[in-house]
Amino acid sequence: MQLTNKQVSRFKMALFVVALLPFIRLVSFVFLDKLGANPVEFITRNTGDWTLYFLCFTLAVTPLRKLLHMPWLLRCRRMLGLYAFFYAFLHFMTFLWFDHFFDVQEMWKDVLKRPFITVGFIAFVLLIPLAATSTNGMIKRLGGKRWQLLHKLIYVIALLGVLHYFWMKSGKHDFSQPVVFAVIVGSLLLLRVWWRWSGRNSVVANGN
């Protein structure tokens, strides 16, 4: 399926608005007092969930592009990755602001004491250089190969995000959603491994 540049631009604009809707919904819930008995927990879980959703959306671009023969989808991947960072930033700021009232020392104690927070914090820190190098200018500065190598961190970040969610839910023995995320992320990564492996085998076969 091929789209013109104008159609792709319209699609990206619509996608930008749709991706912002969870944030708009969350803000409206704040003003309408619909956050429930524990507003901080609601915001934390909501922003954390959407971070994982957008990490999955970002990882899904390449498989969908190949399977559906839609090369223009690649032009949406950067925006989806930035939205993953946006919701991760909101998730982190909720933790820093409402849980620790910007007391960095207390935040560090919490990060070092609880493994699921440690893993989540590492994933957020790894997202920062990806967001910072998302511009065309940074791609030119780093060079295509180095930029691509850096942005392969998304695979590690997604796995850490799933582990963070799994450990967080383990205290309540509720593994249903973490398992779903694990299956989705695992499948998206295994597809890449399969394509790389089959591609190398094809090269070897053709060489022989």
Side-chain angles (χ1 to χ4, degrees):
M1 178 181 177
Q2 297 293 336
L3 295 181
T4 64
N5 288 335
K6 191 172 184 179
Q7 288 173 322
V8 173
S9 296
R10 288 175 178 173
F11 180 85
K12 288 180 65 177
M13 182 59 68
L15 184 61
F16 178 88
V17 174
V18 170
L20 197 60
L21 290 179
F23 174 69
I24 295 172
R25 175 178 176 269
L26 185 60
V27 172
S28 70
F29 273 28
V30 172
F31 286 103
L32 296 174
D33 195 22
K34 289 186 176 182
L35 297 179
N38 192 335
V40 175
E41 182 179 1
F42 185 95
I43 295 172
T44 302
R45 298 291 171 83
N46 185 267
T47 53
D49 286 350
W50 279 104
T51 300
L52 281 173
Y53 291 147
F54 277 98
L55 285 172
C56 291
F57 296 156
T58 305
L59 289 175
V61 168
T62 294
L64 288 175
R65 174 177 65 88
K66 291 184 176 182
L67 295 172
L68 301 179
H69 305 289
M70 299 165 69
W72 55 269
L73 277 177
L74 196 62
R75 293 167 62 180
C76 303
R77 186 171 61 185
R78 199 183 311 177
M79 181 171 64
L80 291 171
L82 284 172
Y83 263 112
F85 175 75
F86 172 66
Y87 286 105
F89 177 77
L90 294 178
H91 187 63
F92 172 72
M93 288 305 297
T94 302
F95 169 68
L96 179 60
W97 184 0
F98 296 112
D99 281 352
H100 298 288
F101 302 100
F102 295 103
D103 188 331
V104 177
Q105 188 175 359
E106 287 300 314
M107 182 205 75
W108 272 114
K109 288 181 182 179
D110 212 9
V111 168
L112 296 174
K113 184 172 70 174
R114 295 196 279 180
F116 85 92
I117 295 180
T118 306
V119 169
F121 183 75
I122 292 171
F124 174 68
V125 170
L126 291 177
L127 265 174
I128 294 173
L130 302 196
T133 57
S134 63
T135 62
N136 291 331
M138 288 303 300
I139 296 175
K140 290 179 181 178
R141 286 185 184 182
L142 290 173
K145 288 185 178 180
R146 281 188 293 179
W147 185 87
Q148 288 180 354
L149 183 63
L150 174 64
H151 280 253
K152 288 185 185 299
L153 281 174
I154 191 69
Y155 307 146
V156 178
I157 292 165
L159 291 172
L160 290 174
V162 171
L163 181 59
H164 168 70
Y165 195 37
F166 186 87
W167 272 349
M168 184 191 72
K169 287 285 191 177
S170 64
K172 297 182 178 180
H173 303 287
D174 179 11
F175 300 106
S176 55
Q177 285 183 297
V179 167
V180 171
F181 277 117
V183 169
I184 293 172
V185 170
S187 299
L188 292 172
L189 295 182
L190 284 173
L191 268 175
R192 286 167 164 82
V193 172
W194 167 255
W195 281 325
R196 175 162 293 200
W197 179 79
S198 59
R200 284 179 179 176
N201 280 355
S202 297
V203 169
V204 171
N206 291 334
N208 291 336

